[in-house]
Amino acid sequence: MGKRKTKKFASMKRMISLKDQRIKEKDRTKVQAKKKKDPSEIKEKEVPKYPSCLFFQYNTQLGPPYHILVDTNFINFSIKAKLDIVQSMMDCLYAKCIPCITDCVMAEIEKLGMKYRVALRIAKDPRFERLPCTHKGTYADDCLVQRVTQHKCYILATVDRDLKRRIRKIPGVPIMYISNHRFNIERMPDDYGAPRF
């Protein structure tokens, strides 16, 4: 009995490497000579540029009246904790606070529907300052991160862990959050008399 040839599965056709001698000179890949690193050469390193307002250990653009960017879940959690947003912010910072709400956050609250109509009514309060958005899309987290990176004059109020993690990577931006039925602030400069709990 003769041997039967079986077809090999998943076998690939052999390909000529681009360095092969049979390929024309112009189509062939060039062999690059490895450069020896000079130990005395000055190493260049790309360092992110920080704004000049962060020169003295803390953000100099922060100061009363504080402008506080509010996130969707911050409004929802403050309703659950039965806290008046503006009054609680003033109790936390001992100064006048202007809560700011972007168009993206407003759109996010409107999308949540009838269940969050109280949050929508609070967001439409005349004490809240409306900030128009010029970018495409309505993803509020990206909008807040972008605004906070461009202008260092804001405090960000959020309860979202992922957003907090993203904001902590940006220097000079304090984070306001809710814990123990009160507003607390994180990374606020000592010079502004932020309470320590």
Side-chain angles (χ1 to χ4, degrees), residues 5 11 22 43 49 63 67 80 139 154 161 169 174 177 189:
K5 279 193 174 181
S11 61
R22 292 173 279 183
K43 292 174 183 137
K49 290 182 179 178
H67 292 272
K80 281 182 186 174
Y139 187 56
Y154 293 113
R161 280 184 185 166
K169 291 174 186 170
Y177 61 97

Side-chain angles (χ1 to χ4, degrees), residues 75-118:
I75 296 171
N76 293 335
F77 275 82
S78 59
I79 291 167
K80 281 182 186 174
K82 295 179 181 169
L83 294 167
D84 176 32
I85 294 179
V86 180
Q87 191 57 48
S88 300
M89 283 177 178
M90 289 183 185
D91 292 344
C92 177
L93 290 167
Y94 307 127
K96 187 181 181 205
C97 299
I98 303 164
C100 304
I101 194 157
T102 61
D103 288 345
C104 293
V105 174
M106 205 66 167
E108 204 173 60
I109 296 169
E110 285 169 358
K111 280 179 192 171
L112 291 171
M114 284 300 287
K115 197 176 177 184
Y116 295 93
R117 64 183 177 276
V118 180

Side-chain angles (χ1 to χ4, degrees), residues 108-160:
E108 204 173 60
I109 296 169
E110 285 169 358
K111 280 179 192 171
L112 291 171
M114 284 300 287
K115 197 176 177 184
Y116 295 93
R117 64 183 177 276
V118 180
L120 185 63
R121 192 175 296 154
I122 288 171
K124 287 182 177 174
D125 190 323
R127 294 179 293 178
F128 277 63
E129 188 181 309
R130 275 298 283 275
L131 301 172
C133 293
T134 53
H135 59 84
K136 290 180 181 178
T138 56
Y139 187 56
D141 289 9
D142 288 345
C143 173
L144 293 171
V145 169
Q146 179 191 355
R147 197 170 285 267
V148 152
T149 354
Q150 285 173 348
H151 315 286
K152 293 279 188 252
C153 62
Y154 293 113
I155 295 169
L156 190 87
T158 186
V159 189
D160 187 12

Side-chain angles (χ1 to χ4, degrees), residues 44-50:
E44 290 180 12
K45 190 177 173 185
E46 191 71 31
V47 179
K49 290 182 179 178
Y50 293 120

Side-chain angles (χ1 to χ4, degrees), residues 29-56:
T29 54
K30 306 286 186 277
V31 179
Q32 293 176 348
K34 290 183 181 177
K35 289 182 181 177
K36 289 184 180 178
K37 289 185 179 179
D38 186 18
S40 62
E41 188 181 331
I42 298 170
K43 292 174 183 137
E44 290 180 12
K45 190 177 173 185
E46 191 71 31
V47 179
K49 290 182 179 178
Y50 293 120
S52 59
C53 68
L54 301 177
F55 190 71
F56 297 108

